[in-house]
Amino acid sequence: MIVIQNVRTPSRVKYRRQWVKRLQWGVLLGLMVLIYGSHAPLLTLTKIDGQVPFNPSSCVVMIELAKLLISLATLILSGDISALRASPPLALVAPYAVPAILYALNNNLVVVMQAYMDPSSYQVLSNLKIASTALLYSLCLGKRLRRGQWLALGLLMAAGVCHSYSSLDLGDPDRDEAQQVPKLHVTAWGLFLVLVYCCVSGLAAVYTERVLKSQTLPLSLQNLYLYVFGVAINGLSSSTVASEKSFLEGYSGVVWAIIAGQAANGLLMSVVLKHGSGITRLFVISCSMLVNALLSWAILGLQLTPFFLLPVSMIGLAAYLYYR
C-alpha cells in the first residue's frame, strides 16, 4: 500500500510558529511602547508644586538594582546557576561596563546641557540621536540599509521634530517677556553638547547590541553582568551628587510604579537588542511619543491639536517603508 504524506502539515506548522512569533513580538513591543509613553505622565503626577519630591539619581539606582535582582531571579529559576558558582574571566565581563559608563555619561550630559539651551530646544534637537544611531548601526555592525530604509529613518526623525515642535509654546513675545517665560535659545557650546549626547546615545545602543549578540551566554546572565556595572557606576555617581533629599525620601506608589516600569522596559529592551535590532528600539521610542501625548490628554487634560496627526502619519509611513 502506498502512503501519501500530507504535505500541507509542515507548512501549517511553520505558518503557526511564525504567527505565534509575530504575536509575541507584537505584545512585547506594544508593552514597551506603553511603558515608555507612560513615563512622563506618571512623573508629572508625582510632582508637588512643580517639583519632583524624590532624588532622581536615587531613582536611577533603584531602577538598575531592580533590573539586577530580576535578572538574578530569572537566572536561578531557569536553572543556570552553575554560571554563578565559577568566577567569569575578566575579558568576558569587562565589555559590559562600557554601556553603563556611556549611559551614566549621557545622564550627566542632559543636566549640563540645560545651562546652554532651553528644555524645548533640547527636546527638538535630541531627535538627532535617530540619525546617529542609524549611522553607527550601519558602520559598526556592518548592516547595509536600503534607500527606502534610510528614507524611513529620515521620516522617523522628522516625525520626532514635528511632535516636539507641536508641544512648543510659540506665543506672544511681549507677553512672554512680561511673564518672564524662558525663550528658545541654543548656544554653540549647547549645540556641540547635544551632538555629543546623540552620538553617545547611539554608540551605547549599538555597542550593547554588539556585545549581546557576540556572546552565546544566556540573556539573563548577560543582563546580570550589565546591571552589576549599572548599579555600581550609578551608585557611585549618585553618592557624588549633593542632594537635600535622603535616598528614599518622597517615594510614593507612583514612584515605585515608575521604577517597576522602567526596570521591565530595560529588560525587554535587552530582548530586542539580542534578538532584534537597535533600529526597532528607535521605532518603539518614536511610537511612545504618541502614547505619551494621548495619556497626557487623558490623564493630565492637555489639549491635542490637528497637527498631532502629522507625526502619527509619518511614523506609520516610516514603519511601512522600513519593514516592507
Side-chain angles (χ1 to χ4, degrees):
M1 181 176 65
I2 301 175
V3 179
I4 300 177
Q5 296 181 352
N6 187 359
V7 295
R8 294 184 179 181
T9 302
S11 61
R12 288 180 178 177
V13 172
K14 182 179 180 181
Y15 175 78
R16 186 178 301 138
R17 288 177 179 175
Q18 290 177 345
W19 185 84
V20 171
K21 186 176 180 180
R22 289 177 181 177
L23 180 62
Q24 291 174 338
W25 272 105
V27 172
L28 183 146
L29 296 176
L31 184 59
M32 290 179 65
V33 168
L34 180 61
I35 295 174
Y36 261 115
S38 64
H39 177 67
L42 288 176
L43 194 60
T44 302
L45 290 177
T46 66
K47 291 183 178 181
I48 299 175
D49 296 329
Q51 301 292 327
V52 290
F54 57 90
N55 185 351
S57 60
S58 74
C59 189
V60 174
V61 175
M62 293 302 297
I63 291 172
E64 295 296 307
L65 181 60
K67 290 188 284 189
L68 174 63
L69 294 177
I70 294 173
S71 300
L72 179 60
T74 304
L75 191 64
I76 293 174
L77 292 174
S78 63
D80 292 329
I81 57 175
S82 58
L84 299 175
R85 296 173 181 171
S87 299
L90 182 61
L92 181 70
V93 179
Y96 293 93
V98 177
I101 295 173
L102 293 176
Y103 285 123
L105 174 60
N106 254 14
N107 291 336
N108 287 283
L109 277 175
V110 171
V111 176
V112 173
M113 281 189 294
Q114 305 307 314
Y116 301 98
M117 68 181 69
D118 63 284
S120 297
S121 296
Y122 160 73
Q123 186 181 8
V124 173
L125 292 173
S126 63
N127 288 288
L128 290 171
K129 64 185 177 184
I130 295 176
S132 63
T133 301
L135 288 171
L136 290 169
Y137 177 80
S138 180
L139 294 174
C140 298
L141 298 182
K143 304 290 185 179
R144 298 189 62 180
L145 302 178
R146 305 188 309 270
R147 290 184 179 180
Q149 290 178 316
W150 282 112
L151 176 60
L153 294 174
L155 276 172
L156 199 65
M157 185 169 64
V161 172
C162 288
H163 177 72
S164 301
Y165 181 83
S166 66
S167 65
L168 299 182
D169 183 14
L170 302 178
D172 184 10
D174 296 333
R175 182 204 65 186
D176 293 345
E177 185 175 355
Q179 297 178 356
Q180 295 183 345
V181 176
K183 296 181 179 180
L184 299 178
H185 71 279
V186 182
T187 65
W189 184 242
L191 183 59
F192 171 76
L193 288 177
V194 81
L195 291 176
V196 173
Y197 165 80
C198 292
C199 290
V200 172
S201 177
L203 181 61
V206 170
Y207 181 86
T208 303
E209 179 178 349
R210 185 181 183 91
V211 171
L212 292 178
K213 288 181 175 178
S214 63
Q215 297 183 1
T216 57
L217 298 174
L219 182 58
S220 54
L221 181 60
Q222 291 181 304
N223 283 334
L224 188 68
Y225 293 153
L226 274 172
Y227 300 127
V228 162
F229 288 110
V231 171
I233 293 174
N234 284 284
L236 180 62
S237 176
S238 177
S239 64
T240 58
V241 177
S243 176
E244 298 178 355
K245 300 181 179 67
S246 60
F247 191 79
L248 296 179
E249 182 182 349
Y251 275 47
S252 62
V254 179
V255 177
W256 287 111
I258 291 173
I259 292 173
Q262 293 304 304
N265 221 20
L267 295 170
L268 292 175
M269 185 59 74
S270 66
V271 176
V272 172
L273 294 178
K274 177 80 170 180
H275 303 290
S277 73
I279 302 298
T280 303
R281 166 182 171 269
L282 297 178
F283 278 94
V284 167
I285 295 174
S286 295
C287 291
S288 70
M289 294 187 303
L290 310 180
V291 174
N292 179 10
L294 291 173
L295 289 177
S296 297
W297 167 73
I299 299 174
L300 305 176
L302 298 183
Q303 296 297 318
L304 294 179
T305 65
F307 192 72
F308 173 73
L309 297 175
L310 179 59
V312 171
S313 303
M314 294 174 73
I315 291 174
L317 179 58
Y320 170 76
L321 290 174
Y322 190 88
Y323 291 105
R324 66 174 179 176

mmCIF file of all heavy atoms in Angstrom, residues 8 14 42-44 52 70-72 86 97 125 157 174 178 190 193 201 208 214 239 245 253 259 266 268 320:
data_model
loop_
_atom_site.group_PDB
_atom_site.id
_atom_site.type_symbol
_atom_site.label_atom_id
_atom_site.label_comp_id
_atom_site.label_asym_id
_atom_site.label_seq_id
_atom_site.Cartn_x
_atom_site.Cartn_y
_atom_site.Cartn_z
ATOM 1 N N ARG A 8 0.795 19.339 3.483
ATOM 2 C CA ARG A 8 0.348 20.622 3.991
ATOM 3 C C ARG A 8 0.669 20.807 5.473
ATOM 4 O O ARG A 8 0.747 21.932 5.957
ATOM 5 C CB ARG A 8 -1.166 20.766 3.795
ATOM 6 C CG ARG A 8 -1.589 20.824 2.337
ATOM 7 C CD ARG A 8 -3.099 21.056 2.246
ATOM 8 N NE ARG A 8 -3.523 21.144 0.858
ATOM 9 C CZ ARG A 8 -4.771 21.364 0.485
ATOM 10 N NH1 ARG A 8 -5.719 21.507 1.415
ATOM 11 N NH2 ARG A 8 -5.078 21.428 -0.785
ATOM 12 N N LYS A 14 4.667 25.500 10.259
ATOM 13 C CA LYS A 14 5.586 26.629 10.074
ATOM 14 C C LYS A 14 4.834 27.949 10.129
ATOM 15 O O LYS A 14 5.285 28.912 10.757
ATOM 16 C CB LYS A 14 6.311 26.488 8.736
ATOM 17 C CG LYS A 14 7.338 27.587 8.476
ATOM 18 C CD LYS A 14 8.035 27.364 7.151
ATOM 19 C CE LYS A 14 9.053 28.466 6.881
ATOM 20 N NZ LYS A 14 9.737 28.266 5.568
ATOM 21 N N LEU A 42 3.336 59.810 34.292
ATOM 22 C CA LEU A 42 3.457 59.336 35.673
ATOM 23 C C LEU A 42 4.396 60.232 36.479
ATOM 24 O O LEU A 42 4.133 60.530 37.648
ATOM 25 C CB LEU A 42 3.958 57.889 35.699
ATOM 26 C CG LEU A 42 2.975 56.805 35.254
ATOM 27 C CD1 LEU A 42 3.643 55.445 35.253
ATOM 28 C CD2 LEU A 42 1.741 56.797 36.150
ATOM 29 N N LEU A 43 5.474 60.666 35.836
ATOM 30 C CA LEU A 43 6.413 61.555 36.514
ATOM 31 C C LEU A 43 5.741 62.879 36.872
ATOM 32 O O LEU A 43 5.982 63.438 37.951
ATOM 33 C CB LEU A 43 7.627 61.807 35.614
ATOM 34 C CG LEU A 43 8.868 62.430 36.258
ATOM 35 C CD1 LEU A 43 9.395 61.543 37.365
ATOM 36 C CD2 LEU A 43 9.943 62.676 35.218
ATOM 37 N N THR A 44 4.880 63.365 35.986
ATOM 38 C CA THR A 44 4.150 64.601 36.254
ATOM 39 C C THR A 44 3.212 64.441 37.449
ATOM 40 O O THR A 44 3.040 65.369 38.254
ATOM 41 C CB THR A 44 3.347 65.021 35.015
ATOM 42 O OG1 THR A 44 4.240 65.185 33.906
ATOM 43 C CG2 THR A 44 2.621 66.337 35.252
ATOM 44 N N VAL A 52 9.663 67.466 41.596
ATOM 45 C CA VAL A 52 9.593 66.058 41.990
ATOM 46 C C VAL A 52 10.035 65.943 43.451
ATOM 47 O O VAL A 52 11.025 66.569 43.854
ATOM 48 C CB VAL A 52 10.486 65.176 41.092
ATOM 49 C CG1 VAL A 52 9.928 65.078 39.696
ATOM 50 C CG2 VAL A 52 11.923 65.677 41.053
ATOM 51 N N ILE A 70 15.934 41.151 39.220
ATOM 52 C CA ILE A 70 15.075 40.364 38.323
ATOM 53 C C ILE A 70 15.924 39.438 37.450
ATOM 54 O O ILE A 70 15.570 38.274 37.230
ATOM 55 C CB ILE A 70 14.212 41.294 37.452
ATOM 56 C CG1 ILE A 70 13.218 42.059 38.318
ATOM 57 C CG2 ILE A 70 13.462 40.495 36.385
ATOM 58 C CD1 ILE A 70 12.445 43.131 37.569
ATOM 59 N N SER A 71 17.065 39.930 36.966
ATOM 60 C CA SER A 71 17.962 39.106 36.156
ATOM 61 C C SER A 71 18.505 37.938 36.964
ATOM 62 O O SER A 71 18.587 36.804 36.467
ATOM 63 C CB SER A 71 19.126 39.957 35.620
ATOM 64 O OG SER A 71 18.657 41.020 34.827
ATOM 65 N N LEU A 72 18.864 38.198 38.222
ATOM 66 C CA LEU A 72 19.365 37.144 39.093
ATOM 67 C C LEU A 72 18.282 36.097 39.363
ATOM 68 O O LEU A 72 18.541 34.885 39.300
ATOM 69 C CB LEU A 72 19.855 37.743 40.405
ATOM 70 C CG LEU A 72 20.398 36.760 41.461
ATOM 71 C CD1 LEU A 72 21.595 35.993 40.903
ATOM 72 C CD2 LEU A 72 20.784 37.505 42.733
ATOM 73 N N ALA A 86 31.219 29.775 39.336
ATOM 74 C CA ALA A 86 32.592 29.993 38.881
ATOM 75 C C ALA A 86 32.799 31.465 38.557
ATOM 76 O O ALA A 86 31.899 32.139 38.026
ATOM 77 C CB ALA A 86 32.882 29.140 37.647
ATOM 78 N N ALA A 97 30.832 46.757 31.106
ATOM 79 C CA ALA A 97 30.976 48.007 31.847
ATOM 80 C C ALA A 97 30.820 49.222 30.936
ATOM 81 O O ALA A 97 30.427 50.304 31.393
ATOM 82 C CB ALA A 97 32.339 48.056 32.532
ATOM 83 N N LEU A 125 16.154 69.031 19.399
ATOM 84 C CA LEU A 125 17.469 68.629 18.890
ATOM 85 C C LEU A 125 17.831 67.197 19.267
ATOM 86 O O LEU A 125 18.621 66.547 18.558
ATOM 87 C CB LEU A 125 18.540 69.587 19.410
ATOM 88 C CG LEU A 125 18.487 71.016 18.866
ATOM 89 C CD1 LEU A 125 19.482 71.912 19.582
ATOM 90 C CD2 LEU A 125 18.736 71.032 17.364
ATOM 91 N N MET A 157 12.808 60.632 12.136
ATOM 92 C CA MET A 157 13.422 61.780 12.792
ATOM 93 C C MET A 157 12.578 63.036 12.586
ATOM 94 O O MET A 157 12.374 63.819 13.521
ATOM 95 C CB MET A 157 14.840 61.999 12.256
ATOM 96 C CG MET A 157 15.603 63.112 12.971
ATOM 97 S SD MET A 157 17.354 63.133 12.532
ATOM 98 C CE MET A 157 17.254 63.512 10.783
ATOM 99 N N ASP A 174 5.867 89.618 23.518
ATOM 100 C CA ASP A 174 5.714 90.648 24.541
ATOM 101 C C ASP A 174 5.126 90.068 25.823
ATOM 102 O O ASP A 174 5.558 90.389 26.926
ATOM 103 C CB ASP A 174 4.813 91.770 24.014
ATOM 104 C CG ASP A 174 5.430 92.490 22.824
ATOM 105 O OD1 ASP A 174 6.674 92.498 22.742
ATOM 106 O OD2 ASP A 174 4.675 93.021 21.981
ATOM 107 N N ALA A 178 6.985 89.783 29.502
ATOM 108 C CA ALA A 178 6.357 90.348 30.697
ATOM 109 C C ALA A 178 6.217 89.292 31.791
ATOM 110 O O ALA A 178 6.372 89.577 32.969
ATOM 111 C CB ALA A 178 4.989 90.925 30.339
ATOM 112 N N GLY A 190 26.153 74.541 23.528
ATOM 113 C CA GLY A 190 24.998 73.680 23.721
ATOM 114 C C GLY A 190 24.760 72.787 22.520
ATOM 115 O O GLY A 190 24.420 71.603 22.674
ATOM 116 N N LEU A 193 27.294 70.025 22.652
ATOM 117 C CA LEU A 193 26.955 69.026 23.677
ATOM 118 C C LEU A 193 25.817 68.123 23.235
ATOM 119 O O LEU A 193 25.828 66.913 23.521
ATOM 120 C CB LEU A 193 26.591 69.733 24.989
ATOM 121 C CG LEU A 193 27.742 70.377 25.764
ATOM 122 C CD1 LEU A 193 27.213 71.090 26.998
ATOM 123 C CD2 LEU A 193 28.788 69.348 26.152
ATOM 124 N N SER A 201 24.533 58.353 22.819
ATOM 125 C CA SER A 201 23.307 57.568 22.906
ATOM 126 C C SER A 201 23.284 56.477 21.844
ATOM 127 O O SER A 201 22.965 55.313 22.133
ATOM 128 C CB SER A 201 22.089 58.480 22.740
ATOM 129 O OG SER A 201 20.891 57.750 22.741
ATOM 130 N N THR A 208 25.880 47.918 22.953
ATOM 131 C CA THR A 208 25.161 46.919 23.750
ATOM 132 C C THR A 208 24.643 45.799 22.863
ATOM 133 O O THR A 208 24.744 44.611 23.218
ATOM 134 C CB THR A 208 23.987 47.577 24.499
ATOM 135 O OG1 THR A 208 24.483 48.637 25.315
ATOM 136 C CG2 THR A 208 23.276 46.564 25.376
ATOM 137 N N SER A 214 27.257 38.995 20.287
ATOM 138 C CA SER A 214 28.557 38.364 20.027
ATOM 139 C C SER A 214 28.853 37.222 20.994
ATOM 140 O O SER A 214 29.750 36.416 20.734
ATOM 141 C CB SER A 214 29.683 39.404 20.109
ATOM 142 O OG SER A 214 29.767 39.952 21.422
ATOM 143 N N SER A 239 26.286 59.050 44.749
ATOM 144 C CA SER A 239 26.928 59.425 46.010
ATOM 145 C C SER A 239 27.745 60.703 45.892
ATOM 146 O O SER A 239 28.006 61.381 46.890
ATOM 147 C CB SER A 239 27.822 58.287 46.498
ATOM 148 O OG SER A 239 28.886 58.052 45.579
ATOM 149 N N LYS A 245 17.654 65.825 49.650
ATOM 150 C CA LYS A 245 16.756 64.731 49.996
ATOM 151 C C LYS A 245 17.550 63.476 50.318
ATOM 152 O O LYS A 245 18.613 63.219 49.733
ATOM 153 C CB LYS A 245 15.791 64.450 48.837
ATOM 154 C CG LYS A 245 14.909 65.636 48.474
ATOM 155 C CD LYS A 245 13.979 65.274 47.335
ATOM 156 C CE LYS A 245 13.063 66.442 46.978
ATOM 157 N NZ LYS A 245 13.807 67.572 46.406
ATOM 158 N N GLY A 253 3.603 55.528 45.807
ATOM 159 C CA GLY A 253 3.212 54.392 44.982
ATOM 160 C C GLY A 253 3.473 54.635 43.509
ATOM 161 O O GLY A 253 3.877 53.716 42.776
ATOM 162 N N ILE A 259 9.544 53.011 38.790
ATOM 163 C CA ILE A 259 10.725 52.153 38.921
ATOM 164 C C ILE A 259 10.460 50.775 38.326
ATOM 165 O O ILE A 259 11.277 50.241 37.559
ATOM 166 C CB ILE A 259 11.147 52.051 40.400
ATOM 167 C CG1 ILE A 259 11.677 53.390 40.899
ATOM 168 C CG2 ILE A 259 12.203 50.954 40.590
ATOM 169 C CD1 ILE A 259 11.955 53.434 42.388
ATOM 170 N N GLY A 266 13.739 48.101 30.554
ATOM 171 C CA GLY A 266 15.150 47.831 30.310
ATOM 172 C C GLY A 266 15.407 46.380 29.968
ATOM 173 O O GLY A 266 16.193 46.057 29.068
ATOM 174 N N LEU A 268 13.133 44.253 28.743
ATOM 175 C CA LEU A 268 12.521 43.973 27.448
ATOM 176 C C LEU A 268 13.386 44.513 26.306
ATOM 177 O O LEU A 268 13.483 43.894 25.241
ATOM 178 C CB LEU A 268 11.127 44.592 27.384
ATOM 179 C CG LEU A 268 10.070 43.977 28.304
ATOM 180 C CD1 LEU A 268 8.769 44.767 28.223
ATOM 181 C CD2 LEU A 268 9.822 42.519 27.963
ATOM 182 N N TYR A 320 6.202 51.364 7.596
ATOM 183 C CA TYR A 320 5.900 50.626 6.356
ATOM 184 C C TYR A 320 7.117 50.570 5.440
ATOM 185 O O TYR A 320 7.466 49.514 4.891
ATOM 186 C CB TYR A 320 4.720 51.281 5.645
ATOM 187 C CG TYR A 320 4.500 50.738 4.238
ATOM 188 C CD1 TYR A 320 3.914 49.489 4.049
ATOM 189 C CD2 TYR A 320 4.902 51.485 3.131
ATOM 190 C CE1 TYR A 320 3.735 48.992 2.758
ATOM 191 C CE2 TYR A 320 4.715 50.983 1.847
ATOM 192 C CZ TYR A 320 4.137 49.736 1.661
ATOM 193 O OH TYR A 320 3.964 49.240 0.397
#
